[in-house]
Amino acid sequence: MILTALAMAAFAGNSLLCRAALLHTAIDPASFTAIRLLSGAVFLYLLILLRREGTKEKAGSWGSALLLFLYAAAFSFAYISLSAATGALLLFGAVQVTMIGVGVLSGENLRTTQLIGISLALAGLVGLLLPGITAPAPQGAALMVLAGAAWGGYSLRGRGAGNPTLVTSGNFVRTLPLVALLVLGTLDHLAVDAAGIALAIASGALASGLGYALWYAALPHLRASSAATVQLSVPVITAVAGALLLSEPITLRLVVASLAILGGIAIVIHSGRRS
C-alpha cells in the first residue's frame, strides 16, 4: 500500500513539477524535456548498478524510445497552457482510451457495460474540450492527448517485459539522441535557470525514474484490477495538489468531466476483469 501510494504521488508529481517549472521559472519546454529524460536515464542506470542487475542483453527498443520521447516532449509543451489538473485528466483519459481502443481493434469483444463505460468516458472528454470560458487551450489539449496516446502505446509495447526497470532504463537511454535533435532544433528558444533545472531533475529522477521503480515493486503485490483502478487516483491527486500548491482553480467543468471520464474507465476496467 505504501509503495503504491508513493508511486501514484510520483506520477501526479510529474504534472505538478512540469507545470510549476513552466509557470514560475525561466525554463522552456524543450530544456525541461531534455533534462527530465537525461536525469531519468542517469537515475535508472545508477539504480540498476546498485541492484547489480544484469546488463548483458540490450534492454529496450528504439520503437519504445520514440514513443517515450514523443510523450515527454508533447507533455512538456502542453503544460505551457494547461493547468496541472486538466493536463493530468487529459493525459490519463487518452492513455486509457488508446489502450482500450487497441484492444478493440485487436479483436477483443466488449460487454454492454463496457460500451456504456467507454461512451461515458468519451462524453466526459468531449465535454471537457467543448468551447467555453473554462475550456482548456486547444493546442495544449491536443498536445496532451498526443502525449497520452504515445504513453498508451509505450505501455502496450512494454507489457510482459522480463525486467521492467532494465527495459525502462534502456528506453530512456535511447531517447538521448532524440533529445539532442530537439535541443538543436530549438536553440533560439532555449532558456534555463537554477530553479527550472532543479524541477526538471526532480521530474526525471524522482517522479519518473524512482516513480517507475516504486510502481514496478508494487505491481507483483496487486491484483490486475486493483493495479488498473488505483491509477484513477492520479488526476484527483493532481487536482487537489494543484489547487493547494499552485493555486489552480477546480472548475465545475473539470469536476463533471473527471467524474465522467474516470467513472467510465472504471466501469470498463471492472467489467472487463469480471468477464
Side-chain angles (χ1 to χ4, degrees):
M1 290 178 62
I2 293 174
L3 287 173
T4 301
L6 290 174
M8 294 306 100
F11 292 163
N14 265 323
S15 291
L16 296 167
L17 290 166
C18 185
R19 179 58 176 163
L22 297 175
L23 189 64
H24 297 300
T25 77
I27 198 168
D28 66 283
S31 297
F32 186 92
T33 302
I35 296 170
R36 177 188 177 188
L37 290 174
L38 176 60
S39 58
V42 171
F43 177 88
L44 288 168
Y45 182 75
L46 293 176
L47 180 63
I48 290 170
L49 290 180
L50 182 64
R51 293 166 62 173
R52 298 180 180 178
E53 297 182 4
T55 57
K56 291 182 179 179
E57 56 180 326
K58 294 182 179 179
S61 68
W62 286 105
S64 293
L66 177 60
L67 288 172
L68 176 61
F69 170 79
L70 185 60
Y71 147 74
F75 179 92
S76 298
F77 281 91
Y79 267 127
I80 294 175
S81 56
L82 297 179
S83 69
T86 300
L89 181 60
L90 286 171
L91 177 72
F92 180 85
V95 169
Q96 295 299 321
V97 168
T98 298
M99 297 181 73
I100 293 169
V102 169
V104 172
L105 293 175
S106 300
E108 292 184 14
N109 295 320
L110 297 179
R111 306 173 69 183
T112 302
T113 51
Q114 289 179 293
L115 291 173
I116 293 173
I118 291 174
S119 299
L120 181 61
L122 290 175
L125 195 58
V126 171
L128 178 65
L129 299 176
L130 283 175
I133 296 176
T134 58
Q139 183 177 1
L143 284 170
M144 191 58 80
V145 169
L146 174 62
W151 185 255
Y154 178 83
S155 300
L156 288 170
R157 287 178 60 92
R159 288 191 302 186
N163 188 328
T165 305
L166 187 59
V167 170
T168 304
S169 174
N171 289 331
F172 264 81
V173 170
R174 282 179 169 83
T175 65
L176 299 184
L178 299 172
V179 165
L181 291 175
L182 175 65
V183 171
L184 288 174
T186 57
L187 278 177
D188 294 338
H189 305 285
L190 296 181
V192 295
D193 60 4
I197 292 173
L199 290 173
I201 292 175
S203 176
L206 300 180
S208 297
L210 181 59
Y212 300 155
L214 291 171
W215 180 234
Y216 293 139
L219 274 177
H221 307 286
L222 297 174
R223 292 182 300 173
S225 57
S226 299
T229 307
V230 73
Q231 295 178 75
L232 296 171
S233 65
V234 175
V236 178
I237 295 170
T238 306
V240 174
L244 294 175
L245 301 177
L246 303 178
S247 301
E248 294 182 347
I250 299 179
T251 64
L252 179 61
R253 180 197 287 246
L254 179 63
V255 172
V256 173
S258 298
L259 291 174
I261 295 171
L262 302 182
I265 292 170
I267 291 173
V268 175
I269 291 171
H270 282 289
S271 182
R273 296 305 177 193
R274 286 199 300 272
S275 64

